[in-house]
mmCIF file of all heavy atoms in Angstrom:
data_model
loop_
_atom_site.group_PDB
_atom_site.id
_atom_site.type_symbol
_atom_site.label_atom_id
_atom_site.label_comp_id
_atom_site.label_asym_id
_atom_site.label_seq_id
_atom_site.Cartn_x
_atom_site.Cartn_y
_atom_site.Cartn_z
ATOM 1 N N GLY T 253 6.792 -13.214 6.384
ATOM 2 C CA GLY T 253 7.615 -11.986 6.148
ATOM 3 C C GLY T 253 8.921 -11.996 6.788
ATOM 4 O O GLY T 253 9.846 -11.317 6.281
ATOM 5 N N ASP T 254 9.186 -12.715 7.918
ATOM 6 C CA ASP T 254 10.536 -12.765 8.496
ATOM 7 C C ASP T 254 11.443 -13.651 7.767
ATOM 8 O O ASP T 254 12.670 -13.621 8.081
ATOM 9 C CB ASP T 254 10.476 -13.061 10.045
ATOM 10 C CG ASP T 254 9.155 -13.849 10.339
ATOM 11 O OD1 ASP T 254 8.279 -13.898 9.543
ATOM 12 O OD2 ASP T 254 9.144 -14.244 11.520
ATOM 13 N N TYR T 255 10.953 -14.504 6.817
ATOM 14 C CA TYR T 255 11.852 -15.416 6.086
ATOM 15 C C TYR T 255 12.061 -14.950 4.691
ATOM 16 O O TYR T 255 13.097 -15.000 4.135
ATOM 17 C CB TYR T 255 11.395 -16.853 6.111
ATOM 18 C CG TYR T 255 11.374 -17.343 7.546
ATOM 19 C CD1 TYR T 255 10.152 -17.367 8.235
ATOM 20 C CD2 TYR T 255 12.479 -17.725 8.153
ATOM 21 C CE1 TYR T 255 10.135 -17.879 9.553
ATOM 22 C CE2 TYR T 255 12.492 -18.219 9.461
ATOM 23 C CZ TYR T 255 11.310 -18.254 10.162
ATOM 24 O OH TYR T 255 11.277 -18.729 11.435
ATOM 25 N N GLY T 256 10.989 -14.523 4.020
ATOM 26 C CA GLY T 256 11.099 -14.083 2.642
ATOM 27 C C GLY T 256 10.651 -12.612 2.484
ATOM 28 O O GLY T 256 10.364 -11.967 3.487
ATOM 29 N N GLY T 258 8.283 -9.466 2.036
ATOM 30 C CA GLY T 258 6.916 -9.287 2.388
ATOM 31 C C GLY T 258 6.790 -8.844 3.890
ATOM 32 O O GLY T 258 7.787 -8.460 4.440
ATOM 33 N N PHE T 261 2.540 -4.931 5.651
ATOM 34 C CA PHE T 261 2.009 -3.994 4.772
ATOM 35 C C PHE T 261 1.480 -4.621 3.493
ATOM 36 O O PHE T 261 0.366 -4.403 2.981
ATOM 37 C CB PHE T 261 3.027 -2.874 4.500
ATOM 38 C CG PHE T 261 2.555 -1.742 3.700
ATOM 39 C CD1 PHE T 261 1.729 -0.741 4.356
ATOM 40 C CD2 PHE T 261 2.736 -1.602 2.391
ATOM 41 C CE1 PHE T 261 1.320 0.318 3.697
ATOM 42 C CE2 PHE T 261 2.263 -0.575 1.642
ATOM 43 C CZ PHE T 261 1.554 0.456 2.291
ATOM 44 N N GLN T 262 2.385 -5.396 2.890
ATOM 45 C CA GLN T 262 2.075 -6.017 1.612
ATOM 46 C C GLN T 262 0.880 -6.992 1.773
ATOM 47 O O GLN T 262 -0.030 -7.071 0.962
ATOM 48 C CB GLN T 262 3.280 -6.765 1.060
ATOM 49 C CG GLN T 262 4.415 -5.927 0.555
ATOM 50 C CD GLN T 262 5.411 -5.621 1.615
ATOM 51 O OE1 GLN T 262 5.040 -5.615 2.858
ATOM 52 N NE2 GLN T 262 6.715 -5.354 1.257
ATOM 53 N N VAL T 265 -2.405 -5.153 1.935
ATOM 54 C CA VAL T 265 -2.822 -4.756 0.755
ATOM 55 C C VAL T 265 -3.401 -5.910 -0.083
ATOM 56 O O VAL T 265 -4.423 -5.732 -0.781
ATOM 57 C CB VAL T 265 -1.737 -3.978 -0.012
ATOM 58 C CG1 VAL T 265 -2.085 -3.707 -1.437
ATOM 59 C CG2 VAL T 265 -1.290 -2.765 0.708
ATOM 60 N N ILE T 272 -11.887 -6.380 -2.024
ATOM 61 C CA ILE T 272 -12.424 -5.406 -2.900
ATOM 62 C C ILE T 272 -12.828 -5.999 -4.231
ATOM 63 O O ILE T 272 -13.874 -5.701 -4.762
ATOM 64 C CB ILE T 272 -11.398 -4.257 -3.158
ATOM 65 C CG1 ILE T 272 -11.206 -3.419 -1.881
ATOM 66 C CG2 ILE T 272 -11.832 -3.353 -4.317
ATOM 67 C CD1 ILE T 272 -10.081 -2.423 -1.978
ATOM 68 N N ILE T 296 -9.618 -0.929 12.017
ATOM 69 C CA ILE T 296 -8.522 0.019 11.749
ATOM 70 C C ILE T 296 -7.827 0.409 13.076
ATOM 71 O O ILE T 296 -6.609 0.418 13.038
ATOM 72 C CB ILE T 296 -9.152 1.279 11.082
ATOM 73 C CG1 ILE T 296 -9.777 0.959 9.726
ATOM 74 C CG2 ILE T 296 -8.147 2.386 10.864
ATOM 75 C CD1 ILE T 296 -10.436 2.089 8.982
ATOM 76 N N TYR T 303 -0.247 -2.810 17.606
ATOM 77 C CA TYR T 303 1.152 -2.417 17.538
ATOM 78 C C TYR T 303 1.641 -1.630 18.758
ATOM 79 O O TYR T 303 2.631 -2.032 19.367
ATOM 80 C CB TYR T 303 1.280 -1.600 16.232
ATOM 81 C CG TYR T 303 2.661 -1.422 15.698
ATOM 82 C CD1 TYR T 303 3.014 -1.512 14.364
ATOM 83 C CD2 TYR T 303 3.778 -1.234 16.535
ATOM 84 C CE1 TYR T 303 4.246 -1.408 13.843
ATOM 85 C CE2 TYR T 303 5.074 -1.097 16.074
ATOM 86 C CZ TYR T 303 5.340 -1.145 14.726
ATOM 87 O OH TYR T 303 6.555 -0.966 14.248
ATOM 88 N N PHE T 317 10.292 0.817 25.135
ATOM 89 C CA PHE T 317 9.220 0.699 24.242
ATOM 90 C C PHE T 317 9.522 -0.015 23.009
ATOM 91 O O PHE T 317 10.560 0.336 22.340
ATOM 92 C CB PHE T 317 8.704 2.169 23.928
ATOM 93 C CG PHE T 317 7.386 2.263 23.161
ATOM 94 C CD1 PHE T 317 6.198 1.880 23.790
ATOM 95 C CD2 PHE T 317 7.372 2.687 21.837
ATOM 96 C CE1 PHE T 317 4.998 1.968 23.143
ATOM 97 C CE2 PHE T 317 6.118 2.771 21.205
ATOM 98 C CZ PHE T 317 4.943 2.413 21.868
ATOM 99 N N TYR T 320 11.552 -5.986 21.903
ATOM 100 C CA TYR T 320 10.791 -7.234 22.033
ATOM 101 C C TYR T 320 11.510 -8.301 22.856
ATOM 102 O O TYR T 320 10.814 -9.375 23.141
ATOM 103 C CB TYR T 320 10.475 -7.797 20.598
ATOM 104 C CG TYR T 320 9.958 -6.805 19.676
ATOM 105 C CD1 TYR T 320 10.566 -6.535 18.455
ATOM 106 C CD2 TYR T 320 8.782 -6.032 19.991
ATOM 107 C CE1 TYR T 320 10.069 -5.600 17.595
ATOM 108 C CE2 TYR T 320 8.271 -5.161 19.087
ATOM 109 C CZ TYR T 320 8.913 -4.916 17.881
ATOM 110 O OH TYR T 320 8.433 -4.046 17.017
ATOM 111 N N GLN T 327 16.284 -13.895 23.896
ATOM 112 C CA GLN T 327 16.206 -12.632 23.117
ATOM 113 C C GLN T 327 15.579 -12.934 21.746
ATOM 114 O O GLN T 327 14.717 -12.267 21.287
ATOM 115 C CB GLN T 327 17.611 -12.072 22.969
ATOM 116 C CG GLN T 327 17.863 -11.085 21.861
ATOM 117 C CD GLN T 327 17.302 -9.817 22.262
ATOM 118 O OE1 GLN T 327 17.023 -9.514 23.426
ATOM 119 N NE2 GLN T 327 17.231 -8.824 21.301
ATOM 120 N N LYS T 328 16.038 -14.044 21.122
ATOM 121 C CA LYS T 328 15.516 -14.310 19.692
ATOM 122 C C LYS T 328 14.125 -14.706 19.690
ATOM 123 O O LYS T 328 13.351 -14.268 18.905
ATOM 124 C CB LYS T 328 16.340 -15.448 19.127
ATOM 125 C CG LYS T 328 17.744 -15.026 18.548
ATOM 126 C CD LYS T 328 18.358 -16.093 17.826
ATOM 127 C CE LYS T 328 19.766 -15.617 17.416
ATOM 128 N NZ LYS T 328 20.595 -16.707 16.665
ATOM 129 N N GLN T 331 12.069 -11.540 20.136
ATOM 130 C CA GLN T 331 12.083 -10.812 18.949
ATOM 131 C C GLN T 331 11.094 -11.377 17.952
ATOM 132 O O GLN T 331 10.291 -10.681 17.311
ATOM 133 C CB GLN T 331 13.512 -10.781 18.257
ATOM 134 C CG GLN T 331 14.459 -9.967 19.005
ATOM 135 C CD GLN T 331 14.350 -8.461 18.673
ATOM 136 O OE1 GLN T 331 13.652 -8.119 17.762
ATOM 137 N NE2 GLN T 331 15.013 -7.592 19.388
ATOM 138 N N HIS T 332 11.033 -12.758 17.855
ATOM 139 C CA HIS T 332 10.193 -13.434 16.928
ATOM 140 C C HIS T 332 8.673 -13.133 17.246
ATOM 141 O O HIS T 332 7.985 -12.688 16.361
ATOM 142 C CB HIS T 332 10.427 -14.891 17.015
ATOM 143 C CG HIS T 332 10.129 -15.539 15.715
ATOM 144 N ND1 HIS T 332 11.058 -15.754 14.752
ATOM 145 C CD2 HIS T 332 9.042 -16.148 15.277
ATOM 146 C CE1 HIS T 332 10.554 -16.366 13.727
ATOM 147 N NE2 HIS T 332 9.297 -16.701 14.003
ATOM 148 N N PHE T 357 -15.811 5.028 -1.456
ATOM 149 C CA PHE T 357 -16.000 5.487 -2.879
ATOM 150 C C PHE T 357 -17.206 4.763 -3.467
ATOM 151 O O PHE T 357 -18.001 5.414 -4.145
ATOM 152 C CB PHE T 357 -14.699 5.103 -3.670
ATOM 153 C CG PHE T 357 -13.631 6.082 -3.558
ATOM 154 C CD1 PHE T 357 -12.373 5.661 -3.026
ATOM 155 C CD2 PHE T 357 -13.852 7.363 -3.739
ATOM 156 C CE1 PHE T 357 -11.334 6.570 -2.869
ATOM 157 C CE2 PHE T 357 -12.827 8.338 -3.640
ATOM 158 C CZ PHE T 357 -11.613 7.949 -3.164
ATOM 159 N N ASN T 362 -24.901 5.610 -4.860
ATOM 160 C CA ASN T 362 -26.341 5.740 -4.688
ATOM 161 C C ASN T 362 -26.695 6.875 -3.776
ATOM 162 O O ASN T 362 -26.143 7.176 -2.776
ATOM 163 C CB ASN T 362 -27.021 4.390 -4.279
ATOM 164 C CG ASN T 362 -26.033 3.545 -3.449
ATOM 165 O OD1 ASN T 362 -25.220 4.092 -2.806
ATOM 166 N ND2 ASN T 362 -26.030 2.214 -3.669
ATOM 167 N N ASP C 161 11.690 -6.470 -1.574
ATOM 168 C CA ASP C 161 10.625 -6.013 -0.697
ATOM 169 C C ASP C 161 9.901 -4.775 -1.253
ATOM 170 O O ASP C 161 8.713 -4.681 -1.265
ATOM 171 C CB ASP C 161 11.140 -5.731 0.676
ATOM 172 C CG ASP C 161 11.421 -6.971 1.423
ATOM 173 O OD1 ASP C 161 12.429 -7.622 1.260
ATOM 174 O OD2 ASP C 161 10.520 -7.384 2.199
ATOM 175 N N THR C 165 5.968 -4.368 -2.698
ATOM 176 C CA THR C 165 5.079 -3.278 -2.226
ATOM 177 C C THR C 165 4.579 -2.514 -3.450
ATOM 178 O O THR C 165 3.400 -2.282 -3.583
ATOM 179 C CB THR C 165 5.766 -2.329 -1.367
ATOM 180 O OG1 THR C 165 6.569 -3.064 -0.361
ATOM 181 C CG2 THR C 165 4.788 -1.347 -0.555
ATOM 182 N N ALA C 168 2.033 -4.686 -5.252
ATOM 183 C CA ALA C 168 0.779 -4.932 -4.475
ATOM 184 C C ALA C 168 0.019 -3.549 -4.460
ATOM 185 O O ALA C 168 -1.237 -3.594 -4.699
ATOM 186 C CB ALA C 168 1.060 -5.416 -3.127
ATOM 187 N N ILE C 176 -7.372 -1.037 -8.763
ATOM 188 C CA ILE C 176 -8.820 -1.412 -8.347
ATOM 189 C C ILE C 176 -9.557 -0.270 -7.884
ATOM 190 O O ILE C 176 -10.721 -0.055 -8.227
ATOM 191 C CB ILE C 176 -8.712 -2.609 -7.296
ATOM 192 C CG1 ILE C 176 -8.121 -3.830 -7.942
ATOM 193 C CG2 ILE C 176 -10.080 -2.775 -6.692
ATOM 194 C CD1 ILE C 176 -8.040 -4.981 -6.943
ATOM 195 N N ILE C 184 -18.126 5.154 -10.979
ATOM 196 C CA ILE C 184 -19.011 6.345 -10.496
ATOM 197 C C ILE C 184 -19.004 7.470 -11.518
ATOM 198 O O ILE C 184 -19.980 8.085 -11.856
ATOM 199 C CB ILE C 184 -18.646 6.883 -9.124
ATOM 200 C CG1 ILE C 184 -18.476 5.740 -8.186
ATOM 201 C CG2 ILE C 184 -19.657 7.839 -8.589
ATOM 202 C CD1 ILE C 184 -17.996 6.115 -6.856
ATOM 203 N N TYR C 240 21.095 -11.284 12.311
ATOM 204 C CA TYR C 240 20.750 -12.752 12.714
ATOM 205 C C TYR C 240 21.133 -12.969 14.198
ATOM 206 O O TYR C 240 20.367 -13.694 14.907
ATOM 207 C CB TYR C 240 21.445 -13.648 11.797
ATOM 208 C CG TYR C 240 20.790 -15.058 11.888
ATOM 209 C CD1 TYR C 240 19.548 -15.291 11.256
ATOM 210 C CD2 TYR C 240 21.404 -16.034 12.554
ATOM 211 C CE1 TYR C 240 18.998 -16.540 11.394
ATOM 212 C CE2 TYR C 240 20.779 -17.313 12.726
ATOM 213 C CZ TYR C 240 19.587 -17.513 12.129
ATOM 214 O OH TYR C 240 18.978 -18.700 12.255
ATOM 215 N N HIS C 242 21.136 -10.775 16.646
ATOM 216 C CA HIS C 242 20.192 -10.061 17.519
ATOM 217 C C HIS C 242 18.836 -10.639 17.536
ATOM 218 O O HIS C 242 18.135 -10.768 18.535
ATOM 219 C CB HIS C 242 20.160 -8.615 17.209
ATOM 220 C CG HIS C 242 21.326 -7.859 17.575
ATOM 221 N ND1 HIS C 242 21.715 -6.680 17.048
ATOM 222 C CD2 HIS C 242 22.416 -8.183 18.391
ATOM 223 C CE1 HIS C 242 22.887 -6.241 17.557
ATOM 224 N NE2 HIS C 242 23.307 -7.086 18.339
ATOM 225 N N MET C 245 16.290 -13.317 12.579
ATOM 226 C CA MET C 245 15.462 -13.160 11.403
ATOM 227 C C MET C 245 16.349 -13.357 10.175
ATOM 228 O O MET C 245 17.351 -12.570 10.015
ATOM 229 C CB MET C 245 14.832 -11.739 11.362
ATOM 230 C CG MET C 245 13.891 -11.481 12.398
ATOM 231 S SD MET C 245 12.365 -12.192 11.949
ATOM 232 C CE MET C 245 11.755 -12.607 13.580
ATOM 233 N N PRO C 246 16.007 -14.242 9.249
ATOM 234 C CA PRO C 246 16.803 -14.320 7.936
ATOM 235 C C PRO C 246 16.586 -13.065 7.122
ATOM 236 O O PRO C 246 17.489 -12.732 6.372
ATOM 237 C CB PRO C 246 16.319 -15.584 7.330
ATOM 238 C CG PRO C 246 15.483 -16.345 8.398
ATOM 239 C CD PRO C 246 14.991 -15.321 9.362
ATOM 240 N N ASN C 247 15.390 -12.484 7.120
ATOM 241 C CA ASN C 247 15.106 -11.374 6.249
ATOM 242 C C ASN C 247 15.503 -10.052 6.979
ATOM 243 O O ASN C 247 14.756 -9.631 7.894
ATOM 244 C CB ASN C 247 13.694 -11.343 5.824
ATOM 245 C CG ASN C 247 13.380 -10.269 4.841
ATOM 246 O OD1 ASN C 247 14.218 -9.457 4.579
ATOM 247 N ND2 ASN C 247 12.105 -10.210 4.390
ATOM 248 N N THR C 250 12.812 -7.145 7.062
ATOM 249 C CA THR C 250 11.783 -7.194 7.996
ATOM 250 C C THR C 250 12.314 -6.863 9.356
ATOM 251 O O THR C 250 11.648 -6.118 10.190
ATOM 252 C CB THR C 250 11.135 -8.610 8.039
ATOM 253 O OG1 THR C 250 10.656 -8.867 6.755
ATOM 254 C CG2 THR C 250 9.997 -8.719 8.935
ATOM 255 N N ALA C 254 10.681 -3.780 11.474
ATOM 256 C CA ALA C 254 9.796 -4.107 12.571
ATOM 257 C C ALA C 254 10.571 -4.049 13.917
ATOM 258 O O ALA C 254 9.871 -3.770 14.940
ATOM 259 C CB ALA C 254 9.171 -5.429 12.440
ATOM 260 N N SER C 255 11.802 -4.231 13.965
ATOM 261 C CA SER C 255 12.524 -4.327 15.244
ATOM 262 C C SER C 255 13.438 -3.092 15.438
ATOM 263 O O SER C 255 13.241 -2.336 16.365
ATOM 264 C CB SER C 255 13.313 -5.560 15.356
ATOM 265 O OG SER C 255 13.934 -5.711 16.607
ATOM 266 N N GLY C 258 11.358 0.121 14.840
ATOM 267 C CA GLY C 258 9.950 -0.129 15.276
ATOM 268 C C GLY C 258 9.187 1.192 15.400
ATOM 269 O O GLY C 258 8.001 1.300 14.996
ATOM 270 N N TYR C 259 9.864 2.253 15.858
ATOM 271 C CA TYR C 259 9.168 3.522 16.073
ATOM 272 C C TYR C 259 8.673 4.023 14.702
ATOM 273 O O TYR C 259 7.586 4.560 14.557
ATOM 274 C CB TYR C 259 10.154 4.592 16.621
ATOM 275 C CG TYR C 259 10.310 4.510 18.110
ATOM 276 C CD1 TYR C 259 10.011 3.418 18.805
ATOM 277 C CD2 TYR C 259 10.789 5.619 18.821
ATOM 278 C CE1 TYR C 259 10.176 3.341 20.231
ATOM 279 C CE2 TYR C 259 11.024 5.586 20.154
ATOM 280 C CZ TYR C 259 10.679 4.447 20.906
ATOM 281 O OH TYR C 259 10.815 4.352 22.213
ATOM 282 N N THR C 261 8.062 2.380 11.990
ATOM 283 C CA THR C 261 6.936 1.676 11.357
ATOM 284 C C THR C 261 5.652 1.957 12.115
ATOM 285 O O THR C 261 4.471 2.031 11.570
ATOM 286 C CB THR C 261 7.301 0.174 11.397
ATOM 287 O OG1 THR C 261 8.599 -0.015 10.916
ATOM 288 C CG2 THR C 261 6.356 -0.588 10.543
ATOM 289 N N ILE C 268 -1.273 5.636 8.026
ATOM 290 C CA ILE C 268 -2.338 4.838 7.368
ATOM 291 C C ILE C 268 -3.601 4.957 8.091
ATOM 292 O O ILE C 268 -4.672 5.131 7.587
ATOM 293 C CB ILE C 268 -1.910 3.379 7.168
ATOM 294 C CG1 ILE C 268 -0.681 3.312 6.211
ATOM 295 C CG2 ILE C 268 -3.043 2.566 6.609
ATOM 296 C CD1 ILE C 268 -0.020 2.020 6.300
ATOM 297 N N PHE C 269 -3.520 4.872 9.430
ATOM 298 C CA PHE C 269 -4.735 4.948 10.364
ATOM 299 C C PHE C 269 -5.390 6.410 10.111
ATOM 300 O O PHE C 269 -6.652 6.482 9.854
ATOM 301 C CB PHE C 269 -4.232 4.817 11.736
ATOM 302 C CG PHE C 269 -5.271 5.134 12.794
ATOM 303 C CD1 PHE C 269 -6.333 4.202 13.053
ATOM 304 C CD2 PHE C 269 -5.251 6.284 13.483
ATOM 305 C CE1 PHE C 269 -7.211 4.480 14.047
ATOM 306 C CE2 PHE C 269 -6.204 6.659 14.414
ATOM 307 C CZ PHE C 269 -7.216 5.714 14.705
ATOM 308 N N ARG C 281 -21.409 9.905 4.727
ATOM 309 C CA ARG C 281 -22.478 10.843 4.967
ATOM 310 C C ARG C 281 -23.072 10.464 6.310
ATOM 311 O O ARG C 281 -23.864 9.491 6.366
ATOM 312 C CB ARG C 281 -23.541 10.767 3.864
ATOM 313 C CG ARG C 281 -23.006 11.508 2.652
ATOM 314 C CD ARG C 281 -23.842 11.197 1.462
ATOM 315 N NE ARG C 281 -23.856 9.821 1.063
ATOM 316 C CZ ARG C 281 -24.614 9.262 0.086
ATOM 317 N NH1 ARG C 281 -25.307 9.966 -0.605
ATOM 318 N NH2 ARG C 281 -24.528 7.958 -0.174
#
Side-chain angles (χ1 to χ4, degrees):
Chain T
D254 19 353
Y255 297 100
F261 189 77
Q262 290 92 332
V265 172
I272 292 172
I296 295 179
Y303 198 139
F317 190 68
Y320 312 124
Q327 163 78 14
K328 281 187 185 179
Q331 289 280 348
H332 208 88
F357 280 124
N362 26 34
Chain C
D161 282 83
T165 316
I176 292 180
I184 310 174
Y240 195 75
H242 287 163
M245 293 281 146
N247 184 357
T250 304
S255 184
Y259 279 21
T261 313
I268 295 165
F269 171 79
R281 286 169 295 180

